[in-house]
Amino acid sequence: MTEEQDGTAWAVLMPAGELPEGAVRGIDIGDLQLAAFNVAGAIHVTDNVCTHAYALLSEGFLEDNVIECPLHGGQFDVVTGKALCDPAECDLKVYPVRVEGGQVWVDLS
């Protein structure tokens, strides 16, 4: 389900409460590969593909707000998208999220 308004394109990501605290899940919406993270009860969404080399971050290790890439160990802050250490040098795209009507929505624009 998608909803467009004011130049944004919101899509339902998952039911609210479905992703446990400290968990990560890869979710594909169309051609986008996204990763959803539950950090201290708040859902954050980034691109799922590491910016260093092709690896799915949702298969990595999440500790607090830091995801470690399973391929080469690059780390990213999932709240800001900031690359935190080598070999990752480029930040991740971070997507706005809202919870409404029992659903987690993500802005794909």
Side-chain angles (χ1 to χ4, degrees):
M1 170 191 250
T2 59
E3 169 185 297
E4 294 187 29
Q5 60 185 20
D6 301 324
T8 61
W10 291 91
V12 172
L13 192 65
M14 71 182 89
E18 186 172 283
L19 189 63
E21 189 169 323
V24 57
R25 177 181 301 157
I27 299 171
D28 294 343
I29 298 179
D31 293 336
L32 289 176
Q33 293 179 302
L34 305 176
F37 307 89
N38 184 330
V39 177
I43 303 298
H44 301 277
V45 177
T46 70
D47 283 331
N48 194 16
V49 177
C50 180
T51 60
H52 167 253
Y54 188 88
L56 296 178
L57 295 173
S58 59
E59 296 175 1
F61 178 71
L62 179 65
E63 184 172 343
D64 298 322
N65 62 319
V66 176
I67 187 71
E68 181 175 307
C69 175
L71 188 58
H72 294 116
Q75 296 179 346
F76 300 90
D77 182 320
V78 302
V79 177
T80 66
K82 180 90 174 135
L84 301 175
C85 68
D86 289 334
E89 295 178 353
C90 296
D91 298 341
L92 289 170
K93 181 174 181 178
V94 175
Y95 295 85
V97 174
R98 72 178 191 220
V99 178
E100 185 176 281
Q103 301 288 333
V104 177
W105 292 76
V106 60
D107 181 2
L108 304 177
S109 54

